[in-house]
Amino acid sequence: MYGIINRNLSTLKTTNLQNVRFAHHSCKILVLGGGTGGCSMAAKLSKNFNEKPSHVIVVDPAEYHYYQPFFTLVGGGIGNVKKCRRPMKDVLPKNAQWIKDCVMEIDAKNNKIITKNGDTVQYEILIVALGLKLNWQAIPGLVEGLDNPESTVCSIYSPETVPKVFGAIKKTNNGTAHFTYPNTPIKCAGAPQKIMYLAEAFWRNQNLRNNIDVVYNTSLPVIFGVKKYADALWEVCKNRDVRVNLTTNLIEVRPDKCEAVFQNLTKPDETKVEKYSLLHVTPPMTTPDVLKKNRDLTNESGFLCVNEKTLRHDKYENIFGIGDCTNTPNSKTMAAVASQVKVLYTNLMDHLEGREMSDVYEGYASCPIVTGNEKCILAEFDYKLNPRETFPYNQGQESRIAYLMKKDIFPFIYWNLMLNGHWHGPEVFRKIFHPFDK
């Protein structure tokens, strides 16, 4: 079978649109990555810089751009992958230049990068928006389980694996269903729970719930980082009879035996083997190799070192970062990127015009946690893990309105506003609904 590893590697072999090897390019703004942060920033900046050589270049090898927050609903049987996929050429701004290639080296001292095709790109300003890489191979046996269509090992975290999830849920009618959260930073920290709640609701609707033990295994010492929402989620688990194992990390999958091996992070030498009828895995994640190997730009974990308030690199004044690949201590979500876009754009323009940077990112992030059939807790918070709620109701309560926003409103905003550089998060609505809050 054509496995996940080979599929992922094949995307790296896509040829450069330039059809010229060892070409040299130069630009005003170079954006590494065509994900949420890269597309949004390219859209905003290409309006200002759209004529060569003072223009915007985006380097990304992907054929398609995905709205990844919708993967959870796809895994729960709501919609399909095609609904959250569009060709990259259709989402990148038309007046930016797209180099369809991978960045292999960042030479910050000489203001240039080198691509896999051997091209060099000279830049005046660099924006690093490379996201996170799914490290499937870090868990022995995981790839084999995912690639076997007969197994019930599954994951919502990639477009290749998410189509299998709902089929695995439907195939499960007894035993123990395990859902995992890894011992690394991840994108959308609420997603491992969301798919669990959707699966639990499906089994309940099918009158199978009494036959299935639902277990959430998280490496974290808490169920959620913000106490208000953690308290609400503990109540959800209690009411739905979901067992939660804290500081529990998946370290091996044995798909031939339907066994999962977990490590107790409070006692690292202690492991236990659990049988599963379904195993949903959130894979460990890392930054891309081009960052991990460049210690001039990153911390010991491979994350781009930027000022958490201004998003400018700690060492190089002409390098900025956005999204999941930076070391900012916020939850890594689409909503966080939306807030960062406004700050980064303002500060970058200040920098170009020789002014002090004037905007500050306060760590805003949001996580719509789907908790069942048409139910959702809309978590919003900042660096200090204080709630930063937008709407005039208690967002720690399950709500159908929040579910409809997750399912219908947020995707519309994403495709029609955010990727065009017109969405900076719900701050303006927060000021309307809470005019007297600081």
Side-chain angles (χ1 to χ4, degrees), residues 231-436:
D231 291 345
L233 291 170
W234 278 118
E235 278 299 308
V236 171
C237 289
K238 178 181 177 181
N239 294 336
R240 313 278 166 81
D241 194 25
V242 171
R243 179 156 49 99
V244 179
N245 295 324
L246 302 177
T247 62
T248 301
N249 184 41
L250 177 70
I251 59 172
E252 184 183 352
V253 180
R254 300 169 181 169
D256 55 330
K257 300 178 181 179
C258 292
E259 292 179 347
V261 183
F262 293 95
Q263 176 189 39
N264 181 349
L265 293 177
T266 62
K267 301 176 181 177
D269 293 332
E270 181 180 306
T271 62
K272 61 180 178 180
V273 179
E274 296 280 357
K275 282 283 189 180
Y276 64 82
S277 53
L278 179 138
L279 178 63
H280 179 275
V281 179
T282 302
M285 301 181 198
T286 68
T287 53
D289 292 343
V290 68
L291 285 180
K292 283 195 300 181
K293 70 182 183 182
N294 194 330
R295 295 302 301 276
D296 188 39
L297 297 176
T298 63
N299 62 16
E300 63 279 0
S301 300
F303 287 83
L304 187 76
C305 293
V306 299
N307 182 289
E308 67 180 41
K309 295 181 179 180
T310 67
L311 305 179
R312 182 162 71 178
H313 194 266
D314 292 340
K315 181 177 178 181
Y316 295 98
E317 291 189 351
N318 65 333
I319 297 179
F320 296 79
I322 190 170
D324 298 350
C325 68
T326 72
N327 66 335
T328 54
N330 58 281
S331 183
K332 299 184 182 302
T333 68
M334 184 207 84
V337 173
S339 185
Q340 289 175 357
V341 164
K342 171 181 174 290
V343 173
L344 178 51
Y345 177 78
T346 301
N347 288 341
L348 194 153
M349 296 306 292
D350 286 342
H351 168 76
L352 287 173
E353 295 179 18
R355 300 189 299 259
E356 289 292 321
M357 291 183 292
S358 58
D359 210 347
V360 172
Y361 175 56
E362 297 178 344
Y364 172 81
S366 175
C367 185
I369 307 172
V370 179
T371 53
N373 292 329
E374 301 194 353
K375 297 177 181 178
C376 184
I377 290 173
L378 183 53
E380 294 182 280
F381 46 94
D382 58 19
Y383 274 141
K384 297 180 180 179
L385 300 181
N386 293 321
R388 291 283 300 276
E389 295 184 349
T390 297
F391 300 99
Y393 74 93
N394 179 5
Q395 292 177 203
Q397 296 178 345
E398 294 177 293
S399 163
R400 186 169 185 269
I401 293 175
Y403 173 82
L404 293 175
M405 286 192 284
K406 161 75 175 176
K407 176 176 172 287
D408 299 316
I409 304 300
F410 296 162
F412 177 86
I413 289 173
Y414 186 81
W415 293 118
N416 296 281
L417 295 176
M418 186 164 180
L419 293 187
N420 294 322
H422 300 312
W423 177 251
H424 301 143
E427 183 178 358
V428 63
F429 297 102
R430 190 179 307 118
K431 290 178 179 178
I432 293 172
F433 291 128
H434 306 283
F436 302 109

Side-chain angles (χ1 to χ4, degrees), residues 32-40 58 60 65-66 68 88 92 129 414 419:
L32 300 182
T36 303
C39 278
S40 300
V58 180
D60 192 290
H65 180 107
Y66 291 92
Q68 296 182 51
M88 184 70 79
L92 288 174
Y414 186 81
L419 293 187

Side-chain angles (χ1 to χ4, degrees), residues 14 38 43 52 76 107 109 122 127 159 166 207 221 261 339 355 359 362:
T14 308
K52 293 183 178 181
D107 183 356
K109 294 178 181 177
Q122 203 83 32
I127 297 175
F166 190 56
N207 295 318
V261 183
S339 185
R355 300 189 299 259
D359 210 347
E362 297 178 344

Side-chain angles (χ1 to χ4, degrees), residues 1-8 143 147:
M1 170 169 280
Y2 191 54
I4 289 172
I5 297 176
N6 291 331
R7 286 199 297 269
N8 286 344
V143 171
D147 272 349

